[in-house]
């Protein structure tokens, strides 16, 4: 409806995007990393965690670990598509729990993609995408019933060192 359209911003460069009162800007630290072409990204959409059997607090523990390892946490949905492409194009490592947010890795070149996935929901779409894009692909499985964030962190440590 016309009323709904007025809630969103439209421009020729990006098309329909975030609500009018919403703005996200790349912070200076992220721009500096983009300029150097060396960016490690943790990508996730919180809305997908419950469906994957991971609590938000467990993911936040993972976030803290990766930030301490030099990763930048990115919520791609907060950025216009042009900025998403710039961000992911320069990524050297992308880590994320299986979900739509990992689709942005398609913009990356010479990148290592690490997908965290529940054992009972095997979906190889991002593995195939990584192979098509010439990226290194690794998967870390976790058991939803006997979840151990320490096990995921241990596996990550082996892959990012």
């Amino acid at each position: 409806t016309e009323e709904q359209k007025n809630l969103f911003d439209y421009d020729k460069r990006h098309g329909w995007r975030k609500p009018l009162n919403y703005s996200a800007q790349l912070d200076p630290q992220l721009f500096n990393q983009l300029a150097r072409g060396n960016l490690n990204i943790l990508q996730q959409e919180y809305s997908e965690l419950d469906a994957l059997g991971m609590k938000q607090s467990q993911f936040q523990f993972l976030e803290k670990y990766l930030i301490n390892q030099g990763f930048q946490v990115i919520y791609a949905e907060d950025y216009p598509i042009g900025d998403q492409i710039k961000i992911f194009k320069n990524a050297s490592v992308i880590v994320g729990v299986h979900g739509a947010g990992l689709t942005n890795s398609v913009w990356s070149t010479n990148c290592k993609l690490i997908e965290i996935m529940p054992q009972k929901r095997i979906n190889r779409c991002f593995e195939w995408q990584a192979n098509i894009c010439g990226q290194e692909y690794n998967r870390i499985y976790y058991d939803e019933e006997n979840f151990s964030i320490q096990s995921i962190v241990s596996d990550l440590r082996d892959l990012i060192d």
Side-chain angles (χ1 to χ4, degrees):
T1 69
E2 194 63 36
E3 185 176 296
Q4 288 173 319
K5 284 184 182 178
N6 291 335
L7 294 175
F8 292 88
D9 184 20
Y10 179 82
D11 69 18
K12 291 178 184 174
R13 188 170 144 224
H14 297 105
W16 292 105
R17 52 187 189 162
K18 292 291 183 186
L20 287 171
N21 62 353
Y22 182 89
S23 66
Q25 295 181 354
L26 295 178
D27 63 50
Q29 178 186 3
L30 184 55
F31 267 128
N32 289 338
Q33 289 176 314
L34 289 173
R36 290 194 308 268
N38 182 22
L39 180 63
N40 297 322
I41 297 174
L42 171 63
Q43 163 63 40
Q44 188 55 44
E45 297 176 18
Y46 278 132
S47 60
E48 296 175 338
L49 294 177
D50 285 340
L52 297 172
M54 185 182 287
K55 292 180 175 63
Q56 188 169 339
S57 61
Q58 295 165 326
F59 185 74
Q60 288 170 338
F61 180 88
L62 184 60
E63 278 184 338
K64 288 178 187 173
Y65 168 74
L66 288 169
I67 287 169
N68 287 333
Q69 301 302 310
F71 279 72
Q72 176 80 31
V73 178
I74 300 293
Y75 298 97
E77 67 270 18
D78 290 344
Y79 299 97
I81 187 66
D83 288 344
Q84 291 178 38
I85 293 169
K86 287 178 197 170
I87 292 167
F88 283 87
K89 180 182 176 196
N90 290 295
S92 51
V93 179
I94 298 172
V95 176
V97 178
H98 175 82
L102 290 177
T103 304
N104 280 302
S105 64
V106 73
W107 308 120
S108 305
T109 55
N110 299 319
C111 170
K112 179 189 288 190
L113 176 62
I114 303 172
E115 180 179 18
I116 302 169
M117 181 185 298
Q119 289 175 332
K120 293 183 181 179
R121 284 194 64 195
I122 298 173
N123 182 332
R124 298 181 63 195
C125 64
F126 296 111
E127 177 184 4
W128 297 331
Q129 177 183 298
N131 287 333
I132 290 168
C133 294
Q135 301 162 344
E136 180 182 340
Y137 175 85
N138 294 276
R139 181 184 306 116
I140 297 173
Y141 286 117
Y142 65 89
D143 184 346
E144 296 167 83
E145 295 167 12
N146 300 308
F147 187 86
S148 167
I149 194 69
Q150 289 78 16
S151 174
I152 292 174
V153 168
S154 176
D155 290 346
L156 273 172
R157 189 176 298 125
D158 292 340
L159 292 171
I160 63 176
D161 287 340

